[in-house]
Amino acid sequence: MTDLPKIGAPATRALANAGYTDLENLAQATEAELLALHGMGPKAMSVLRRALEEHGLSFRDQATAE
């Protein structure tokens, strides 16, 4: 399990409250799902996207989420 990167406190709380505790878990979500969380914004999403890519991961594709 890979720790989440450092992001702002509101985004960190939003992820924790939604049960996202590591990058592998985060890769199971779509960007839209995360952006819907109160406290998540474009800067946090950019940091998370970059961290996922660095570990060979990515957000779940919206098409597979439906």
Side-chain angles (χ1 to χ4, degrees), residues 27-65:
Q28 302 303 310
T30 66
E31 290 190 49
E33 290 169 334
L34 295 179
L35 282 169
L37 299 175
H38 181 74
M40 290 299 296
K43 183 175 180 184
M45 290 300 296
S46 175
V47 172
L48 294 173
R49 192 178 304 110
R50 190 168 39 251
L52 285 169
E53 289 172 1
E54 288 173 1
H55 289 88
L57 300 169
S58 63
F59 291 114
R60 188 174 67 175
D61 184 26
Q62 183 65 35
T64 61

Side-chain angles (χ1 to χ4, degrees), residues 10-43:
T12 299
R13 281 192 301 272
L15 292 176
N17 289 338
Y20 298 109
T21 57
D22 56 65
L23 285 180
E24 290 79 7
N25 187 262
L26 194 63
Q28 302 303 310
T30 66
E31 290 190 49
E33 290 169 334
L34 295 179
L35 282 169
L37 299 175
H38 181 74
M40 290 299 296
K43 183 175 180 184

